[in-house]
Amino acid sequence: MSNTMESLRRKIQSADDLQSVVRTMKALAASSVGQFERSVRGLADYQRAVELGLAACFRQSAVPLPMRDEERLGQTEAISAIVFGSDQGLVGQFNDVIADYAITTLAAFYGKSRVWAVGERVYARLADAGLQLVGLLPVPNSIQAIIPLVAQVQIASETEAANGANSSLWVFHNRPLSGALYEPTRQRLLPLDKQWQQDLLHTPWPTTNLPEIVGGNSRTTRALIREFLFISLFRACAESLASENASRLVAMERADKNISELLEQLHGTFHQLRQGDIDEELFDVISGFEALAGTR
């Protein structure tokens, strides 16, 4: 009996320790979700400034706008894709959802796909599907770590463009919804969307002072497009990290609930055994007293 109770004590202690870890991870995930969501909202003003600059450049540019029709997609020689996943587990179906979405989408394209995977978990999932993976990038663990990752992706895409590769650039990531929900989404970054450019052309300038292009229209346009790509990649990464932590938060809440139920069962069993041990000792005392009383 004592060995059984000692075993239950160890199980209860282990469950308490595990629940402490789970609740710490849950608190960190909840904090991270808000942090990454705020970083996305903080990009709004910067994006607005970049788009106004591009609108001014497009209005003064004599270069025809690139095609964005869907039939042109099938004529692309290569398709470069960036798929954001996770390095760590305990995120539910997070990696499976975005990997399946990217695999299905890229399979519908006619061009040859070259994929960068952000995160070891999604990398393995994409490799099992037979996609051509050209790189594995680590998942940033903070807002500050997103910037070096975005810079690395920009350098790789610009290197392909400099080598004359006629490719489009797509990004796949999970986007947070209300609560702890998320959904997979995609965005084509290059070539620039024609309709998006047309909308910028009709964007009114917010003041009466008209802008002046400094340093040449072509040079300024390229610089602003580079900033636009930075914003798009930063947002995709931040939204993916917010979704990852939201998924981890749900998993930790489920684990916390399961551990609480297990602890309730263990405590109930422990108290029953302890009460049975006490009752047995009381019975022994009563039996001894009755035996002594009968002898007298």
Side-chain angles (χ1 to χ4, degrees), residues 1-14 265-281:
M1 184 70 67
S2 59
N3 291 334
T4 302
M5 292 182 63
E6 184 63 28
S7 175
L8 283 173
R9 286 193 182 94
R10 289 196 298 268
K11 290 180 180 179
I12 291 172
Q13 182 61 46
S14 298
Q265 295 176 0
L266 291 174
H267 280 296
T269 304
F270 179 82
H271 290 313
Q272 288 179 358
L273 291 176
R274 186 168 180 270
Q275 186 62 48
D277 200 11
I278 293 174
D279 292 343
E280 185 177 349
E281 292 178 357

Side-chain angles (χ1 to χ4, degrees), residues 81-117:
I82 306 165
V83 182
F84 287 91
S86 74
D87 279 332
Q88 300 177 357
L90 300 176
V91 290
Q93 299 297 314
F94 177 82
N95 291 292
D96 292 335
V97 168
I98 190 59
D100 291 340
Y101 181 74
I103 292 168
T104 303
T105 302
L106 294 175
F109 295 164
Y110 296 102
K112 185 178 180 181
S113 301
R114 292 165 49 85
V115 182
W116 282 275

Side-chain angles (χ1 to χ4, degrees), residues 43-218:
L43 288 173
D45 292 338
Y46 184 40
Q47 181 178 359
R48 175 64 175 170
V50 171
E51 288 180 347
L52 286 174
L54 284 172
C57 292
F58 291 158
R59 277 193 290 267
Q60 298 185 26
S61 177
V63 180
L65 298 174
M67 294 293 292
R68 171 61 173 86
D69 299 333
E70 289 298 327
E71 56 267 19
R72 293 276 298 181
L73 186 60
Q75 301 173 10
T76 305
E77 293 181 0
I79 298 172
S80 298
I82 306 165
V83 182
F84 287 91
S86 74
D87 279 332
Q88 300 177 357
L90 300 176
V91 290
Q93 299 297 314
F94 177 82
N95 291 292
D96 292 335
V97 168
I98 190 59
D100 291 340
Y101 181 74
I103 292 168
T104 303
T105 302
L106 294 175
F109 295 164
Y110 296 102
K112 185 178 180 181
S113 301
R114 292 165 49 85
V115 182
W116 282 275
V118 182
E120 295 180 355
R121 302 269 176 169
V122 76
Y123 181 92
R125 182 70 176 80
L126 296 173
D128 292 340
L131 293 180
Q132 182 183 1
L133 296 171
V134 295
L136 169 62
L137 303 175
V139 177
N141 55 10
S142 65
I143 294 177
Q144 293 74 17
I146 297 178
I147 297 177
L149 172 67
V150 172
Q152 187 176 355
V153 172
Q154 284 185 296
I155 291 173
S157 62
E158 290 177 0
T159 300
E160 286 199 354
N163 293 334
N166 181 24
S167 63
S168 60
L169 178 61
W170 291 77
V171 59
F172 296 85
H173 69 283
N174 285 315
R175 176 176 59 189
L177 299 176
S178 59
L181 302 177
Y182 58 88
E183 65 176 0
T185 185
R186 70 187 186 191
Q187 181 184 4
R188 183 179 180 178
L189 301 182
L190 293 174
L192 296 178
D193 184 89
K194 181 178 179 180
Q195 184 59 49
W196 173 75
Q197 294 184 61
Q198 292 286 0
D199 293 340
L200 287 182
L201 285 173
H202 297 89
T203 301
W205 194 256
T207 66
T208 57
N209 298 322
L210 297 180
E212 179 181 356
I213 307 301
V214 178
N217 189 26
S218 177

